[in-house]
Amino acid sequence: MKKLIYVLAISATTLAFQACNSGTKDAKETADSLNKTKDTTSNAMATGGIAVDQSDAEFATKAAVGGMAEVELGKLALTKTSNAQLKEFANMMVNDHGKANAELMAIAKMKNITLPGMVDEEHQKKMNDLQQKSGADFDKAYTDAMVDGHKSTLNLMNDEAKDGKDADIKAFASKTAPVVQTHLDMITKIQKTLK
């Protein structure tokens, strides 16, 4: 028991030291690192272990970051656009991705997966760039970002639905993919009207 406490103390100290010295790590990378230390194949006794394969945990962190970004970008669009179609789409982003995020958080908690608490550097940069735009420039940039983001998210969901190992996470991806496809179809139509 003393050895276990000692190992936990060393692990916690190491993680705290790494967190303090890794100013370049973003939220997703930090969550992935924490999940690796919880990997059941190596040290379940010390960490409590995650209840899924590492690839499923990485999917969860990537999906969480993307979902949070969609909600935040949707909120931004609601304040910056006067385009009725984009406002409707942005509301859909806030609602649909908000629900999916809550569902993913519940699954992650059940599986002992650490999810990032904020968006990663890439999505933060996109938000900062969009914050600087207004009018038609904002509308076009937001729409382009949504098309690209939803293509990427659809691939992520379809890959996990096909290749995922955990039944709950795989079911989440299977259920979410058609919603993402609907979003992609809608934003692609809007994009064509803006050209």
Side-chain angles (χ1 to χ4, degrees), residues 25-39 50 54-62 65 113-116:
K25 267 198 175 184
D26 67 19
K28 183 189 171 309
E29 290 173 329
T30 301
D32 284 339
S33 292
L34 288 171
N35 287 328
K36 278 187 180 149
T37 65
K38 291 194 284 187
D39 186 356
I50 54 175
Q54 190 64 36
S55 63
D56 289 333
E58 287 173 8
F59 161 80
T61 60
K62 195 168 191 178
V65 164
I113 300 170
T114 300
L115 295 179

PDB file of all heavy atoms in Angstrom, residues 25-39 50 54-62 65 113-116:
ATOM      1  N   LYS A  25       1.459  22.919 -24.660  1.00  0.00           N
ATOM      2  CA  LYS A  25       0.431  21.880 -24.777  1.00  0.00           C
ATOM      3  C   LYS A  25      -0.943  22.506 -24.718  1.00  0.00           C
ATOM      4  O   LYS A  25      -1.218  23.337 -23.874  1.00  0.00           O
ATOM      5  CB  LYS A  25       0.569  20.864 -23.639  1.00  0.00           C
ATOM      6  CG  LYS A  25       1.412  19.687 -23.997  1.00  0.00           C
ATOM      7  CD  LYS A  25       1.153  18.552 -23.055  1.00  0.00           C
ATOM      8  CE  LYS A  25       1.936  17.365 -23.558  1.00  0.00           C
ATOM      9  NZ  LYS A  25       1.698  16.184 -22.799  1.00  0.00           N
ATOM     10  N   ASP A  26      -1.814  22.106 -25.621  1.00  0.00           N
ATOM     11  CA  ASP A  26      -3.163  22.644 -25.561  1.00  0.00           C
ATOM     12  C   ASP A  26      -4.072  21.674 -24.807  1.00  0.00           C
ATOM     13  O   ASP A  26      -3.636  20.626 -24.338  1.00  0.00           O
ATOM     14  CB  ASP A  26      -3.687  23.006 -26.952  1.00  0.00           C
ATOM     15  CG  ASP A  26      -3.914  21.812 -27.860  1.00  0.00           C
ATOM     16  OD1 ASP A  26      -4.018  20.674 -27.373  1.00  0.00           O
ATOM     17  OD2 ASP A  26      -4.002  22.024 -29.076  1.00  0.00           O
ATOM     18  N   ALA A  27      -5.325  22.041 -24.672  1.00  0.00           N
ATOM     19  CA  ALA A  27      -6.272  21.277 -23.855  1.00  0.00           C
ATOM     20  C   ALA A  27      -6.438  19.842 -24.333  1.00  0.00           C
ATOM     21  O   ALA A  27      -6.508  18.915 -23.525  1.00  0.00           O
ATOM     22  CB  ALA A  27      -7.620  21.990 -23.842  1.00  0.00           C
ATOM     23  N   LYS A  28      -6.510  19.628 -25.643  1.00  0.00           N
ATOM     24  CA  LYS A  28      -6.687  18.280 -26.166  1.00  0.00           C
ATOM     25  C   LYS A  28      -5.454  17.425 -25.884  1.00  0.00           C
ATOM     26  O   LYS A  28      -5.563  16.285 -25.453  1.00  0.00           O
ATOM     27  CB  LYS A  28      -6.981  18.305 -27.661  1.00  0.00           C
ATOM     28  CG  LYS A  28      -7.254  16.900 -28.208  1.00  0.00           C
ATOM     29  CD  LYS A  28      -7.333  16.876 -29.709  1.00  0.00           C
ATOM     30  CE  LYS A  28      -7.381  15.483 -30.252  1.00  0.00           C
ATOM     31  NZ  LYS A  28      -6.336  14.585 -29.759  1.00  0.00           N
ATOM     32  N   GLU A  29      -4.265  17.987 -26.116  1.00  0.00           N
ATOM     33  CA  GLU A  29      -3.031  17.234 -25.868  1.00  0.00           C
ATOM     34  C   GLU A  29      -2.904  16.861 -24.395  1.00  0.00           C
ATOM     35  O   GLU A  29      -2.473  15.762 -24.057  1.00  0.00           O
ATOM     36  CB  GLU A  29      -1.807  18.045 -26.306  1.00  0.00           C
ATOM     37  CG  GLU A  29      -1.681  18.200 -27.806  1.00  0.00           C
ATOM     38  CD  GLU A  29      -0.557  19.139 -28.189  1.00  0.00           C
ATOM     39  OE1 GLU A  29      -0.253  20.078 -27.432  1.00  0.00           O
ATOM     40  OE2 GLU A  29       0.026  18.929 -29.270  1.00  0.00           O
ATOM     41  N   THR A  30      -3.281  17.785 -23.509  1.00  0.00           N
ATOM     42  CA  THR A  30      -3.219  17.519 -22.080  1.00  0.00           C
ATOM     43  C   THR A  30      -4.170  16.384 -21.709  1.00  0.00           C
ATOM     44  O   THR A  30      -3.793  15.475 -20.976  1.00  0.00           O
ATOM     45  CB  THR A  30      -3.557  18.791 -21.278  1.00  0.00           C
ATOM     46  OG1 THR A  30      -2.623  19.812 -21.644  1.00  0.00           O
ATOM     47  CG2 THR A  30      -3.477  18.552 -19.787  1.00  0.00           C
ATOM     48  N   ALA A  31      -5.391  16.419 -22.233  1.00  0.00           N
ATOM     49  CA  ALA A  31      -6.359  15.358 -21.946  1.00  0.00           C
ATOM     50  C   ALA A  31      -5.862  14.019 -22.489  1.00  0.00           C
ATOM     51  O   ALA A  31      -5.958  12.993 -21.807  1.00  0.00           O
ATOM     52  CB  ALA A  31      -7.722  15.700 -22.537  1.00  0.00           C
ATOM     53  N   ASP A  32      -5.311  14.030 -23.706  1.00  0.00           N
ATOM     54  CA  ASP A  32      -4.771  12.783 -24.273  1.00  0.00           C
ATOM     55  C   ASP A  32      -3.642  12.242 -23.401  1.00  0.00           C
ATOM     56  O   ASP A  32      -3.550  11.039 -23.165  1.00  0.00           O
ATOM     57  CB  ASP A  32      -4.276  13.002 -25.706  1.00  0.00           C
ATOM     58  CG  ASP A  32      -5.410  13.090 -26.723  1.00  0.00           C
ATOM     59  OD1 ASP A  32      -6.520  12.602 -26.430  1.00  0.00           O
ATOM     60  OD2 ASP A  32      -5.176  13.650 -27.806  1.00  0.00           O
ATOM     61  N   SER A  33      -2.778  13.126 -22.907  1.00  0.00           N
ATOM     62  CA  SER A  33      -1.674  12.693 -22.038  1.00  0.00           C
ATOM     63  C   SER A  33      -2.207  12.076 -20.750  1.00  0.00           C
ATOM     64  O   SER A  33      -1.709  11.036 -20.305  1.00  0.00           O
ATOM     65  CB  SER A  33      -0.767  13.878 -21.690  1.00  0.00           C
ATOM     66  OG  SER A  33      -0.091  14.319 -22.822  1.00  0.00           O
ATOM     67  N   LEU A  34      -3.203  12.724 -20.151  1.00  0.00           N
ATOM     68  CA  LEU A  34      -3.792  12.176 -18.924  1.00  0.00           C
ATOM     69  C   LEU A  34      -4.423  10.818 -19.190  1.00  0.00           C
ATOM     70  O   LEU A  34      -4.307   9.903 -18.373  1.00  0.00           O
ATOM     71  CB  LEU A  34      -4.827  13.139 -18.348  1.00  0.00           C
ATOM     72  CG  LEU A  34      -4.265  14.399 -17.709  1.00  0.00           C
ATOM     73  CD1 LEU A  34      -5.386  15.376 -17.376  1.00  0.00           C
ATOM     74  CD2 LEU A  34      -3.477  14.055 -16.454  1.00  0.00           C
ATOM     75  N   ASN A  35      -5.081  10.672 -20.327  1.00  0.00           N
ATOM     76  CA  ASN A  35      -5.698   9.389 -20.653  1.00  0.00           C
ATOM     77  C   ASN A  35      -4.639   8.319 -20.874  1.00  0.00           C
ATOM     78  O   ASN A  35      -4.857   7.157 -20.524  1.00  0.00           O
ATOM     79  CB  ASN A  35      -6.616   9.521 -21.872  1.00  0.00           C
ATOM     80  CG  ASN A  35      -7.892  10.272 -21.534  1.00  0.00           C
ATOM     81  OD1 ASN A  35      -8.386  10.190 -20.414  1.00  0.00           O
ATOM     82  ND2 ASN A  35      -8.393  11.038 -22.483  1.00  0.00           N
ATOM     83  N   LYS A  36      -3.492   8.690 -21.456  1.00  0.00           N
ATOM     84  CA  LYS A  36      -2.416   7.709 -21.636  1.00  0.00           C
ATOM     85  C   LYS A  36      -1.902   7.226 -20.291  1.00  0.00           C
ATOM     86  O   LYS A  36      -1.592   6.053 -20.121  1.00  0.00           O
ATOM     87  CB  LYS A  36      -1.275   8.301 -22.461  1.00  0.00           C
ATOM     88  CG  LYS A  36      -1.556   8.242 -23.931  1.00  0.00           C
ATOM     89  CD  LYS A  36      -0.364   8.662 -24.756  1.00  0.00           C
ATOM     90  CE  LYS A  36      -0.763   8.552 -26.212  1.00  0.00           C
ATOM     91  NZ  LYS A  36      -0.120   9.497 -27.073  1.00  0.00           N
ATOM     92  N   THR A  37      -1.817   8.135 -19.302  1.00  0.00           N
ATOM     93  CA  THR A  37      -1.342   7.701 -17.992  1.00  0.00           C
ATOM     94  C   THR A  37      -2.367   6.818 -17.296  1.00  0.00           C
ATOM     95  O   THR A  37      -2.019   6.062 -16.399  1.00  0.00           O
ATOM     96  CB  THR A  37      -0.989   8.890 -17.063  1.00  0.00           C
ATOM     97  OG1 THR A  37      -2.168   9.625 -16.776  1.00  0.00           O
ATOM     98  CG2 THR A  37       0.074   9.770 -17.673  1.00  0.00           C
ATOM     99  N   LYS A  38      -3.633   6.901 -17.728  1.00  0.00           N
ATOM    100  CA  LYS A  38      -4.684   6.055 -17.152  1.00  0.00           C
ATOM    101  C   LYS A  38      -4.894   4.778 -17.949  1.00  0.00           C
ATOM    102  O   LYS A  38      -5.798   4.017 -17.647  1.00  0.00           O
ATOM    103  CB  LYS A  38      -6.008   6.822 -17.095  1.00  0.00           C
ATOM    104  CG  LYS A  38      -6.030   7.941 -16.108  1.00  0.00           C
ATOM    105  CD  LYS A  38      -7.441   8.427 -15.850  1.00  0.00           C
ATOM    106  CE  LYS A  38      -7.987   9.268 -16.950  1.00  0.00           C
ATOM    107  NZ  LYS A  38      -9.281   9.881 -16.629  1.00  0.00           N
ATOM    108  N   ASP A  39      -4.102   4.568 -18.982  1.00  0.00           N
ATOM    109  CA  ASP A  39      -4.270   3.405 -19.851  1.00  0.00           C
ATOM    110  C   ASP A  39      -4.256   2.124 -19.022  1.00  0.00           C
ATOM    111  O   ASP A  39      -3.318   1.849 -18.288  1.00  0.00           O
ATOM    112  CB  ASP A  39      -3.141   3.380 -20.893  1.00  0.00           C
ATOM    113  CG  ASP A  39      -3.314   2.283 -21.930  1.00  0.00           C
ATOM    114  OD1 ASP A  39      -4.261   1.484 -21.808  1.00  0.00           O
ATOM    115  OD2 ASP A  39      -2.500   2.232 -22.851  1.00  0.00           O
ATOM    116  N   ILE A  50      -8.547   3.717 -17.591  1.00  0.00           N
ATOM    117  CA  ILE A  50      -9.680   4.072 -18.432  1.00  0.00           C
ATOM    118  C   ILE A  50     -10.317   2.769 -18.885  1.00  0.00           C
ATOM    119  O   ILE A  50      -9.650   1.752 -18.987  1.00  0.00           O
ATOM    120  CB  ILE A  50      -9.286   4.951 -19.644  1.00  0.00           C
ATOM    121  CG1 ILE A  50      -8.175   4.331 -20.474  1.00  0.00           C
ATOM    122  CG2 ILE A  50      -8.936   6.347 -19.210  1.00  0.00           C
ATOM    123  CD1 ILE A  50      -7.837   5.113 -21.741  1.00  0.00           C
ATOM    124  N   GLN A  54      -7.206   3.048 -26.067  1.00  0.00           N
ATOM    125  CA  GLN A  54      -6.636   4.391 -26.215  1.00  0.00           C
ATOM    126  C   GLN A  54      -7.174   5.117 -27.444  1.00  0.00           C
ATOM    127  O   GLN A  54      -7.423   6.318 -27.407  1.00  0.00           O
ATOM    128  CB  GLN A  54      -5.101   4.305 -26.280  1.00  0.00           C
ATOM    129  CG  GLN A  54      -4.405   5.640 -26.190  1.00  0.00           C
ATOM    130  CD  GLN A  54      -4.625   6.342 -24.857  1.00  0.00           C
ATOM    131  OE1 GLN A  54      -4.689   5.707 -23.814  1.00  0.00           O
ATOM    132  NE2 GLN A  54      -4.779   7.648 -24.895  1.00  0.00           N
ATOM    133  N   SER A  55      -7.415   4.398 -28.540  1.00  0.00           N
ATOM    134  CA  SER A  55      -7.933   5.049 -29.750  1.00  0.00           C
ATOM    135  C   SER A  55      -9.350   5.594 -29.526  1.00  0.00           C
ATOM    136  O   SER A  55      -9.699   6.659 -30.048  1.00  0.00           O
ATOM    137  CB  SER A  55      -7.914   4.082 -30.939  1.00  0.00           C
ATOM    138  OG  SER A  55      -8.769   2.983 -30.707  1.00  0.00           O
ATOM    139  N   ASP A  56     -10.155   4.904 -28.716  1.00  0.00           N
ATOM    140  CA  ASP A  56     -11.493   5.402 -28.396  1.00  0.00           C
ATOM    141  C   ASP A  56     -11.405   6.646 -27.510  1.00  0.00           C
ATOM    142  O   ASP A  56     -12.183   7.591 -27.671  1.00  0.00           O
ATOM    143  CB  ASP A  56     -12.329   4.318 -27.707  1.00  0.00           C
ATOM    144  CG  ASP A  56     -12.732   3.195 -28.653  1.00  0.00           C
ATOM    145  OD1 ASP A  56     -12.848   3.438 -29.863  1.00  0.00           O
ATOM    146  OD2 ASP A  56     -12.941   2.069 -28.169  1.00  0.00           O
ATOM    147  N   ALA A  57     -10.447   6.651 -26.580  1.00  0.00           N
ATOM    148  CA  ALA A  57     -10.249   7.830 -25.724  1.00  0.00           C
ATOM    149  C   ALA A  57      -9.805   9.026 -26.562  1.00  0.00           C
ATOM    150  O   ALA A  57     -10.264  10.151 -26.346  1.00  0.00           O
ATOM    151  CB  ALA A  57      -9.223   7.526 -24.635  1.00  0.00           C
ATOM    152  N   GLU A  58      -8.926   8.793 -27.533  1.00  0.00           N
ATOM    153  CA  GLU A  58      -8.469   9.882 -28.404  1.00  0.00           C
ATOM    154  C   GLU A  58      -9.611  10.405 -29.274  1.00  0.00           C
ATOM    155  O   GLU A  58      -9.719  11.610 -29.503  1.00  0.00           O
ATOM    156  CB  GLU A  58      -7.282   9.428 -29.250  1.00  0.00           C
ATOM    157  CG  GLU A  58      -6.011   9.296 -28.421  1.00  0.00           C
ATOM    158  CD  GLU A  58      -4.835   8.692 -29.184  1.00  0.00           C
ATOM    159  OE1 GLU A  58      -4.931   8.508 -30.411  1.00  0.00           O
ATOM    160  OE2 GLU A  58      -3.821   8.409 -28.530  1.00  0.00           O
ATOM    161  N   PHE A  59     -10.465   9.513 -29.742  1.00  0.00           N
ATOM    162  CA  PHE A  59     -11.659   9.950 -30.473  1.00  0.00           C
ATOM    163  C   PHE A  59     -12.496  10.872 -29.580  1.00  0.00           C
ATOM    164  O   PHE A  59     -12.953  11.931 -30.018  1.00  0.00           O
ATOM    165  CB  PHE A  59     -12.514   8.749 -30.920  1.00  0.00           C
ATOM    166  CG  PHE A  59     -13.931   9.146 -31.241  1.00  0.00           C
ATOM    167  CD1 PHE A  59     -14.246   9.716 -32.462  1.00  0.00           C
ATOM    168  CD2 PHE A  59     -14.948   9.003 -30.293  1.00  0.00           C
ATOM    169  CE1 PHE A  59     -15.552  10.124 -32.747  1.00  0.00           C
ATOM    170  CE2 PHE A  59     -16.244   9.406 -30.570  1.00  0.00           C
ATOM    171  CZ  PHE A  59     -16.547   9.968 -31.802  1.00  0.00           C
ATOM    172  N   ALA A  60     -12.700  10.452 -28.336  1.00  0.00           N
ATOM    173  CA  ALA A  60     -13.533  11.233 -27.416  1.00  0.00           C
ATOM    174  C   ALA A  60     -12.966  12.627 -27.200  1.00  0.00           C
ATOM    175  O   ALA A  60     -13.719  13.609 -27.206  1.00  0.00           O
ATOM    176  CB  ALA A  60     -13.697  10.493 -26.090  1.00  0.00           C
ATOM    177  N   THR A  61     -11.650  12.742 -27.034  1.00  0.00           N
ATOM    178  CA  THR A  61     -11.066  14.074 -26.819  1.00  0.00           C
ATOM    179  C   THR A  61     -11.190  14.931 -28.071  1.00  0.00           C
ATOM    180  O   THR A  61     -11.506  16.126 -27.991  1.00  0.00           O
ATOM    181  CB  THR A  61      -9.595  14.003 -26.367  1.00  0.00           C
ATOM    182  OG1 THR A  61      -8.804  13.351 -27.353  1.00  0.00           O
ATOM    183  CG2 THR A  61      -9.448  13.299 -25.033  1.00  0.00           C
ATOM    184  N   LYS A  62     -10.989  14.328 -29.226  1.00  0.00           N
ATOM    185  CA  LYS A  62     -11.097  15.077 -30.483  1.00  0.00           C
ATOM    186  C   LYS A  62     -12.550  15.513 -30.728  1.00  0.00           C
ATOM    187  O   LYS A  62     -12.809  16.659 -31.122  1.00  0.00           O
ATOM    188  CB  LYS A  62     -10.591  14.209 -31.642  1.00  0.00           C
ATOM    189  CG  LYS A  62     -10.319  14.965 -32.907  1.00  0.00           C
ATOM    190  CD  LYS A  62      -9.547  14.115 -33.904  1.00  0.00           C
ATOM    191  CE  LYS A  62      -9.057  14.975 -35.047  1.00  0.00           C
ATOM    192  NZ  LYS A  62      -8.261  14.245 -36.013  1.00  0.00           N
ATOM    193  N   VAL A  65     -13.447  18.426 -28.299  1.00  0.00           N
ATOM    194  CA  VAL A  65     -12.893  19.714 -28.724  1.00  0.00           C
ATOM    195  C   VAL A  65     -13.697  20.275 -29.895  1.00  0.00           C
ATOM    196  O   VAL A  65     -14.056  21.459 -29.912  1.00  0.00           O
ATOM    197  CB  VAL A  65     -11.395  19.572 -29.096  1.00  0.00           C
ATOM    198  CG1 VAL A  65     -10.903  20.766 -29.883  1.00  0.00           C
ATOM    199  CG2 VAL A  65     -10.558  19.401 -27.845  1.00  0.00           C
ATOM    200  N   ILE A 113     -12.659   8.639 -18.821  1.00  0.00           N
ATOM    201  CA  ILE A 113     -11.871   9.344 -19.840  1.00  0.00           C
ATOM    202  C   ILE A 113     -11.830  10.821 -19.471  1.00  0.00           C
ATOM    203  O   ILE A 113     -12.865  11.419 -19.189  1.00  0.00           O
ATOM    204  CB  ILE A 113     -12.496   9.191 -21.245  1.00  0.00           C
ATOM    205  CG1 ILE A 113     -12.571   7.726 -21.654  1.00  0.00           C
ATOM    206  CG2 ILE A 113     -11.727  10.005 -22.275  1.00  0.00           C
ATOM    207  CD1 ILE A 113     -13.397   7.489 -22.913  1.00  0.00           C
ATOM    208  N   THR A 114     -10.651  11.403 -19.467  1.00  0.00           N
ATOM    209  CA  THR A 114     -10.507  12.836 -19.235  1.00  0.00           C
ATOM    210  C   THR A 114     -10.736  13.560 -20.554  1.00  0.00           C
ATOM    211  O   THR A 114     -10.060  13.275 -21.543  1.00  0.00           O
ATOM    212  CB  THR A 114      -9.098  13.166 -18.704  1.00  0.00           C
ATOM    213  OG1 THR A 114      -8.896  12.464 -17.474  1.00  0.00           O
ATOM    214  CG2 THR A 114      -8.934  14.661 -18.487  1.00  0.00           C
ATOM    215  N   LEU A 115     -11.696  14.486 -20.561  1.00  0.00           N
ATOM    216  CA  LEU A 115     -11.950  15.306 -21.742  1.00  0.00           C
ATOM    217  C   LEU A 115     -11.370  16.694 -21.521  1.00  0.00           C
ATOM    218  O   LEU A 115     -11.287  17.152 -20.380  1.00  0.00           O
ATOM    219  CB  LEU A 115     -13.456  15.418 -22.015  1.00  0.00           C
ATOM    220  CG  LEU A 115     -14.178  14.135 -22.394  1.00  0.00           C
ATOM    221  CD1 LEU A 115     -15.658  14.420 -22.616  1.00  0.00           C
ATOM    222  CD2 LEU A 115     -13.569  13.497 -23.630  1.00  0.00           C
ATOM    223  N   PRO A 116     -10.989  17.371 -22.593  1.00  0.00           N
ATOM    224  CA  PRO A 116     -10.476  18.733 -22.439  1.00  0.00           C
ATOM    225  C   PRO A 116     -11.582  19.665 -21.936  1.00  0.00           C
ATOM    226  O   PRO A 116     -12.751  19.465 -22.239  1.00  0.00           O
ATOM    227  CB  PRO A 116     -10.034  19.128 -23.848  1.00  0.00           C
ATOM    228  CG  PRO A 116     -10.535  18.078 -24.761  1.00  0.00           C
ATOM    229  CD  PRO A 116     -10.993  16.911 -23.962  1.00  0.00           C
TER     230      PRO A 116
END
